[in-house]
Amino acid sequence: MSGRLLRLACTAAIAAGTALAPVPATAVPEPGERTVTELLTDLQRLYREAERATETYNATEEKLKKQKAEVLRLDTALARARLSLHDSRGAAGRLARQQYQNSTDISPYVRLLLARDPQHALDQGHVIGQLAKERAETVGRLTGSEKKAGDLAREARKALDAQLTLAARQKKDRDGVRKKLHDVEELLASLSEEQLRDLARFEEDEITEAQDDLIASGALSDEDRKPSDQGDRALRYAMDQLGKPYKWGAEGPKEYDCSGLTSEAWGHAGTPIPRTSEEQWARLPRIPLKELRPGDLVVYFPDATHVGMYLGKGKIVQAPRTGEKVKVSPIASNPILGAVRPDQEREAR
């Protein structure tokens, strides 16, 4: 933890000059004579806002992926329906020509009465009835094909409109993340080296105190639990990513954000989970902290905007935030909301 803020400050100019959109200088308060506590409070608030914006972007990105898949599915179904409609129209055309060529003013009933061979006439009547049935089916197929193609065309148009709406929202979310990150970099760039060192020490002490308080409270179990097979595979994957840089919106293999790391780890373990930390908290089975075992996910902040994977012995592996790398941290490095177990349902069956 020590020196982290100093490293972030060194990358501020590069990050602000390449990936971040410019924002008004008034977006971040001036350092002035504020205390270290006040500065750290501001910095942590800005980090939380950036992470919240990142998870919003991730959620939109996930919806956009699903919407693109839906558009592709409907386009494929529409192409097949149009081909079927073409075939049905061809069959209807042939039917019309046959009816024209075989038209007569004498009904099948009259032909039956005038026939010299009634049995032959009855056979002909059966054939006529069969043809009539086939013609009715042809007309029915044509009508059904036209309706299906029309319905699919409307669905495909609606789905494409939804995709375009999500794409516009994604751009807005992306710009929001860039602005929040610019706020962070701007504050860091405004601090002296001494202030940065003080912030690093103060943050280190703050986390140590929170960790000590958590352990003293008895919220964590002293029992050394073993992970499930899936949890072990997920944890091994996460640990293999140590040292890789954090990048908002990233799902690997070279960079990760917090939920990108946890979702990819459990996906590689054969248990797909939601992409964002909010959805992981909302949709996965929750467990008490006392029941934590390696591989479980620890979710942070009241709005579930951060997540890490439990390593055991009061530690997590996480992709912390911009400017840092995937690393092992104390479980109390952020305010804990709760814990979830991705393979809980699988065990119950």
Side-chain angles (χ1 to χ4, degrees):
M1 184 70 65
S2 179
R4 174 173 61 196
L5 296 172
L6 185 59
R7 291 195 300 274
L8 286 171
C10 292
T11 63
I14 297 175
T18 58
L20 305 178
V23 296
T26 55
V28 179
E30 292 297 327
E33 298 300 323
R34 284 179 294 161
T35 65
V36 174
T37 302
E38 292 171 334
L39 286 173
L40 185 58
T41 298
D42 282 341
L43 186 58
Q44 289 174 338
R45 173 181 56 80
L46 292 174
Y47 273 127
R48 281 195 62 198
E49 289 175 357
E51 193 151 43
R52 186 183 299 113
T54 295
E55 290 300 284
T56 299
Y57 171 87
N58 289 339
T60 302
E61 172 71 9
E62 194 69 10
K63 290 178 183 176
L64 184 57
K65 287 179 183 177
K66 293 178 181 178
Q67 192 61 39
K68 287 179 178 178
E70 176 66 3
V71 169
L72 179 60
R73 183 190 71 79
L74 287 171
D75 284 347
T76 302
L78 180 58
R80 291 173 179 167
R82 284 173 173 166
L83 180 60
S84 176
L85 178 58
H86 180 270
D87 293 341
S88 296
R89 284 173 175 166
R94 289 192 296 273
L95 173 60
R97 289 192 296 272
Q98 290 170 1
Q99 287 178 322
Y100 175 78
Q101 293 166 357
N102 298 330
S103 63
T104 176
D105 293 332
I106 303 177
S107 71
Y109 179 69
V110 173
R111 288 201 300 272
L112 177 61
L113 292 177
L114 299 176
R116 293 182 179 180
D117 185 348
Q119 183 60 48
H120 180 65
L122 286 171
D123 292 341
Q124 283 186 320
H126 174 72
V127 172
I128 291 171
Q130 185 64 32
L131 288 174
K133 180 182 177 183
E134 291 176 0
R135 288 169 182 172
E137 289 175 350
T138 298
V139 173
R141 282 197 301 272
L142 175 60
T143 303
S145 296
E146 287 179 337
K147 184 178 186 305
K148 183 176 181 180
D151 291 344
L152 282 171
R154 285 188 290 273
E155 287 183 45
R157 180 69 256 177
K158 185 178 179 181
L160 181 59
D161 288 343
Q163 177 179 325
L164 294 174
T165 300
L166 282 170
R169 188 191 304 172
Q170 181 193 40
K171 181 179 182 300
K172 182 179 178 181
D173 292 343
R174 180 196 64 199
D175 293 344
V177 175
R178 288 177 173 176
K179 179 185 180 302
K180 296 301 181 184
L181 290 176
H182 187 279
D183 291 347
V184 172
E185 303 295 354
E186 189 178 38
L187 177 57
L188 288 172
S190 70
L191 300 177
S192 67
E193 290 190 9
E194 181 180 359
Q195 286 176 312
L196 289 169
R197 283 193 294 269
D198 289 343
L199 278 174
R201 284 194 297 268
F202 192 83
E203 187 176 29
E204 180 81 23
D205 293 342
E206 189 179 68
I207 292 175
T208 299
E209 182 180 354
Q211 183 79 359
D212 291 343
D213 289 345
L214 179 66
I215 293 174
S217 72
L220 296 179
S221 173
D222 294 332
E223 182 180 350
D224 189 16
R225 289 186 171 88
K226 292 183 178 180
S228 65
D229 291 341
Q230 292 81 19
D232 183 61
R233 287 196 293 270
L235 186 58
R236 287 178 183 273
Y237 178 90
M239 292 298 289
D240 285 343
Q241 313 315 308
L242 288 176
K244 294 184 178 180
Y246 177 102
K247 181 179 180 182
W248 65 271
E251 301 175 76
K254 295 182 179 179
E255 300 163 312
Y256 295 90
D257 64 17
C258 67
S259 57
L261 177 64
T262 55
S263 61
E264 284 297 301
W266 273 98
H268 277 74
T271 304
I273 63 173
R275 168 64 176 89
T276 68
S277 57
E278 291 98 327
E279 284 296 295
Q280 290 170 9
W281 173 246
R283 293 169 53 187
L284 297 178
R286 298 178 186 178
I287 58 169
L289 291 182
K290 264 191 171 297
E291 296 181 11
L292 272 173
R293 69 185 186 192
D296 291 340
L297 304 183
V298 182
V299 183
Y300 295 91
F301 301 111
D303 43 7
T305 50
H306 187 70
V307 63
M309 183 177 294
Y310 192 59
L311 179 61
K313 301 186 182 302
K315 301 286 186 180
I316 61 166
V317 54
Q318 64 166 336
R321 62 195 187 192
T322 297
E324 297 197 45
K325 298 179 180 180
V326 176
K327 65 177 185 178
V328 173
S329 307
I331 190 174
S333 55
N334 290 298
I336 298 173
L337 175 61
V340 295
R341 179 168 293 162
D343 58 345
Q344 182 73 48
E345 291 183 356
R346 178 174 296 187
E347 284 190 338
R349 287 196 291 267

